[in-house]
Amino acid sequence: MQTETLYKSPGPASFAVTDERLVLLEEVDFKWLMTGQGWWVDTERLHTDTGYASHLLHLVTQNPSAALRNCAARLQARLELG
């Protein structure tokens, strides 16, 4: 007897969960990389104060750490901050 496996494409809700998880991972990476540079990140404020978030993300554009700059760029894109 052969069973057939049906593929159901993920709906919009699953994309939202995936996006939230990716943002969380980016934030964790960003926070640890910033800590390694001696900068503390207030994650609650990162979510509630766009000026604070933009300022932190802009600070790292001058940082010599390519990993931190790349992480900040990905986080900025995910948070849709200019």
Side-chain angles (χ1 to χ4, degrees):
M1 175 189 247
Q2 186 177 8
T3 59
E4 186 176 322
T5 303
L6 297 176
Y7 175 76
K8 183 177 178 185
S9 74
S14 64
F15 286 124
V17 170
T18 300
D19 286 348
E20 288 174 16
R21 289 178 183 167
L22 291 174
V23 169
L24 178 61
L25 288 173
E26 292 294 346
E27 286 177 7
V28 169
D29 286 348
F30 181 71
K31 184 173 181 174
W32 281 108
L33 289 165
M34 289 288 281
T35 300
Q37 298 294 313
W39 292 330
W40 182 78
V41 175
D42 181 343
T43 51
E44 184 175 333
R45 189 172 174 198
L46 187 67
H47 286 276
T48 58
D49 185 345
T50 55
Y52 173 76
S54 294
H55 175 71
L56 283 180
L57 293 168
H58 179 74
L59 277 177
V60 301
T61 61
Q62 306 301 318
N63 193 279
S65 169
L68 179 54
R69 289 192 316 271
N70 292 336
C71 181
R74 288 189 308 271
L75 182 59
Q76 185 171 8
R78 291 203 191 283
L79 294 177
E80 297 178 4
L81 295 171

